Amino acid sequence: ETGVTQTPRHLVMGMTNKKSLKCEQHLGHNAMYWYKQSAKKPLELMFVYSLEERVENNSVPSRFSPECPNSSHLFLHLHTLQPEDSALYLCASSQVLLGSQYFGPGTRLLVL
Amino acid sequence: KQEVTQIPAALSVPEGENLVLNCSFTDSAIYNLQWFRQDPGKGLTSLLLIQSSQREQTSGRLNASLDKSSGRSTLYIAASQPGDSATYLCAVRVGTSGSRLTFGEGTQLTVNP
């Protein structure tokens, strides 16, 4: 498998559920990112990891919890989400922080 | 705070036309600017990246220009094809702190056969 992969591609969850989104990059990159894309709004940066350390948290509510166990994997743990959290969640990676970002296909999340 | 605006929000053209997509940004202290393509329900594909010291970049039928002083970038698509139909996103990276990309809302392009 090449590039950036994300699982699951689609997820429906209730507000009391706990779920996790997974991202894996096969590019040997050192930086990984989570973005949120809502309808009619620009992409919003959520979290940035460089060499497995979080370097940016863009004022994201604590119901979103990222985890980067190694440079190839990035998780986004979800708990007690709200309906307004329904969106497309995109993962990206880059060789270094200043480099061109490569995106995965996204996870379409619906919170009921 | 950097703001990125893309005009028009949507564009429909017949096949074969040359077209220009516009991107403007409020803070000219950018590190680089990147153009992406997004197909419906899918992730983003990087098209072109222009460093702040560059004026333009070309890839095939695509040409992106950058005018930092006026806070503008354009994406020129030559001889458009139906396969070019997608949403085109512009993103700027501010300063040298590295991580933050600020995106515009995109231009939805439809090329009709």
Side-chain angles (χ1 to χ4, degrees):
Chain A
E1 191 124 38
T2 59
V4 181
T5 58
Q6 291 186 243
T7 55
R9 294 294 311 278
H10 301 271
L11 179 62
V12 180
M13 59 187 290
M15 290 190 285
T16 58
N17 291 158
K18 289 184 180 181
K19 296 287 184 183
S20 295
L21 309 185
K22 179 183 176 181
C23 174
E24 184 173 1
Q25 58 95 1
H26 310 269
L27 301 168
H29 288 170
N30 292 318
M32 296 187 77
Y33 312 77
W34 279 118
Y35 287 89
K36 175 183 179 182
Q37 188 176 34
S38 304
K40 307 298 183 186
K41 292 175 69 175
L43 267 78
E44 301 172 61
L45 179 67
M46 300 176 71
F47 300 104
V48 182
Y49 277 81
S50 177
L51 297 172
E52 300 142 49
E53 287 193 17
R54 192 188 310 178
V55 297
E56 186 152 352
N57 175 348
N58 193 23
S59 302
V60 179
S62 60
R63 57 185 183 269
F64 295 92
S65 175
E67 178 190 2
C68 187
N70 56 62
S71 60
S72 299
H73 293 86
L74 186 64
F75 294 89
L76 188 62
H77 304 299
L78 316 171
H79 63 98
T80 59
L81 293 192
Q82 305 298 312
E84 59 265 30
D85 296 323
S86 299
L88 180 67
Y89 288 85
L90 291 163
C91 173
S93 70
S94 62
Q95 178 63 48
V96 293
L97 279 177
L98 297 178
S100 183
Q101 295 185 14
Y102 294 80
F103 283 76
T107 294
R108 176 72 62 185
L109 174 67
L110 176 62
V111 182
L112 300 176
Chain B
K1 178 187 173 184
Q2 178 73 270
E3 292 184 4
V4 180
T5 304
Q6 291 187 245
I7 295 174
L11 181 63
S12 182
V13 300
E15 181 177 4
E17 267 203 14
N18 302 325
L19 56 99
V20 174
L21 307 181
N22 297 292
C23 171
S24 62
F25 45 94
T26 54
D27 185 347
S28 62
I30 66 169
Y31 185 81
N32 57 36
L33 182 145
Q34 198 165 356
W35 282 94
F36 293 89
R37 167 188 174 136
Q38 185 174 29
D39 293 284
K42 295 190 178 180
L44 278 64
T45 301
S46 179
L47 298 174
L48 291 164
L49 183 146
I50 312 177
Q51 301 294 346
S52 62
S53 58
Q54 297 175 317
R55 297 283 293 181
E56 64 178 318
Q57 281 284 337
T58 298
S59 176
R61 294 182 294 109
L62 305 179
N63 176 277
S65 68
L66 174 64
D67 184 343
K68 256 192 1 173
S69 61
S70 66
R72 292 180 184 173
S73 176
T74 61
L75 180 67
Y76 175 82
I77 302 177
S80 58
Q81 302 171 359
D84 295 329
S85 298
T87 296
Y88 290 81
L89 296 162
C90 164
V92 298
R93 179 175 280 115
V94 178
T96 58
S97 59
S99 56
R100 182 175 295 276
L101 270 182
T102 303
F103 282 82
E105 292 189 27
T107 293
Q108 186 174 354
L109 173 66
T110 303
V111 181
N112 302 300

